[in-house]
Amino acid sequence: MKFSLNIDHVATLRNARGEKHPNPVTFALLAEKFGVDGIVVHLREDRRHINDSDVFLLKELLTTKLDLEMAATDEIITIACEVKPELATIVPEKRRELTTEGGLNVVDNLETLRNAINRLHSANIPVSLFIEPEINQIDAASSINTDFIEIHTGIFANSKSEDEMYDEMEKIRLAVKHAKKLQLGVNAGHGLDYLNIKEFRQIEGIDEVSIGHAVIARSVFFGLEEAIHTMRNLIKNG
Ligand code: PXP
């Protein structure tokens, strides 16, 4: 299971004062040095954290890979086609949400998503769709030629009891199996942290986890190197 770091919160901190610090690009380069497998950013329509120039600079300077999270809007697709990230992850985006609230409804938005994937593919950008661990959503995603899915792990992460958590893990296990049968790459993320990763890592077949808030928050206390090494170690060894 590879580990990509989402650095949106570093840009949030920078923007809080309208200053240049902390610089998310410098932070990303350090994160690479400390051993992450890739960097994830979400270029939102309202540019509340990461902005266009961050994204272009990241693409130029990263030596691992850039996963650009994005809504399937004309403006952001055009930017993505110029940036050419190593992966474009399409997510649903609502203006007033604090963070991404759940997976895409691929079944009901087939044509919009098909067009977005076609445009990104014609710029040679592999695409991932952020979805719930549901068989009908995976089938729909596969039918429009996505390369990857990213399974939304928010329900697993927020589960209120062990039963709920194990039920959701079982759902994710079946979803991963199904996606692999369809030859899709499988990423996962949202709400994963230093406690729940110990259970989550036992699910087989997930190519990569995308983690942001927990690692950035821990780095405030213990530094980025410690935060990354501890997460890497948990992913590998539990
Ligand atoms: N994956 C996706 C698609 C997301 O939108 C987010 C949140 O930005 C994450 C992963 C990372 O979530 P968290 O910050 O809770 O680790």
Side-chain angles (χ1 to χ4, degrees), residues 85-115:
E86 279 69 30
L87 184 67
T89 297
I90 302 180
V91 300
E93 188 175 306
K94 294 188 206 134
R95 280 201 183 182
R96 296 176 69 181
E97 67 190 356
L98 287 178
T99 180
T100 313
E101 286 173 347
L104 291 162
N105 187 342
V106 186
V107 174
D108 288 349
N109 292 285
L110 220 47
E111 282 320 302
T112 307
L113 292 168
R114 190 201 305 275
N115 290 336

Side-chain angles (χ1 to χ4, degrees), residues 17-183:
R17 282 288 182 92
E19 299 280 350
K20 296 200 171 106
H21 306 288
N23 184 317
V25 179
T26 312
F27 196 90
L29 296 176
L30 270 176
E32 283 191 322
K33 197 172 143 216
F34 297 145
V36 297
D37 298 302
I39 297 294
V40 187
V41 292
H42 183 175
L43 184 67
R44 280 182 170 268
E45 193 188 4
D46 63 9
R47 310 297 199 271
R48 69 170 77 154
H49 36 58
I50 288 293
N51 63 37
D52 303 44
S53 99
D54 297 328
V55 175
F56 279 97
L57 256 182
L58 283 166
K59 172 59 194 174
E60 204 178 312
L61 297 176
L62 291 181
T63 53
T64 54
K65 59 188 174 126
L66 175 65
D67 174 358
L68 180 64
E69 279 183 25
M70 51 180 280
T73 63
D74 190 43
E75 183 211 5
I76 303 289
I77 295 169
T78 302
I79 294 170
C81 290
E82 247 184 89
V83 174
K84 296 194 189 297
E86 279 69 30
L87 184 67
T89 297
I90 302 180
V91 300
E93 188 175 306
K94 294 188 206 134
R95 280 201 183 182
R96 296 176 69 181
E97 67 190 356
L98 287 178
T99 180
T100 313
E101 286 173 347
L104 291 162
N105 187 342
V106 186
V107 174
D108 288 349
N109 292 285
L110 220 47
E111 282 320 302
T112 307
L113 292 168
R114 190 201 305 275
N115 290 336
I117 291 174
N118 286 346
R119 279 185 68 192
L120 291 160
H121 276 171
S122 62
N124 290 320
I125 302 165
V127 180
S128 179
L129 298 181
F130 183 57
I131 59 175
E132 300 299 328
E134 287 166 9
I135 302 300
N136 62 338
Q137 296 293 348
I138 296 168
D139 286 339
S142 170
S143 79
I144 52 174
N145 286 330
T146 194
D147 306 283
F148 283 78
I149 56 167
E150 180 178 331
I151 293 179
H152 175 230
T153 54
I155 293 171
F156 159 80
N158 293 324
S159 48
K160 304 263 183 302
S161 65
E162 282 205 345
D163 280 355
E164 217 181 289
M165 182 182 75
Y166 289 122
D167 283 353
E168 189 62 17
M169 275 179 73
E170 198 45 38
K171 238 178 124 179
I172 295 173
R173 269 197 190 96
L174 293 175
V176 176
K177 254 194 197 159
H178 190 70
K180 291 279 158 183
K181 249 192 240 155
L182 298 171
Q183 306 202 316

Side-chain angles (χ1 to χ4, degrees), residues 6 8-9 69 91 99-100 130 150 189-192 210-213:
N6 180 310
D8 290 343
H9 292 298
E69 279 183 25
V91 300
T99 180
T100 313
F130 183 57
E150 180 178 331
H190 207 91
L192 296 176
S210 160
I211 309 180
H213 189 261

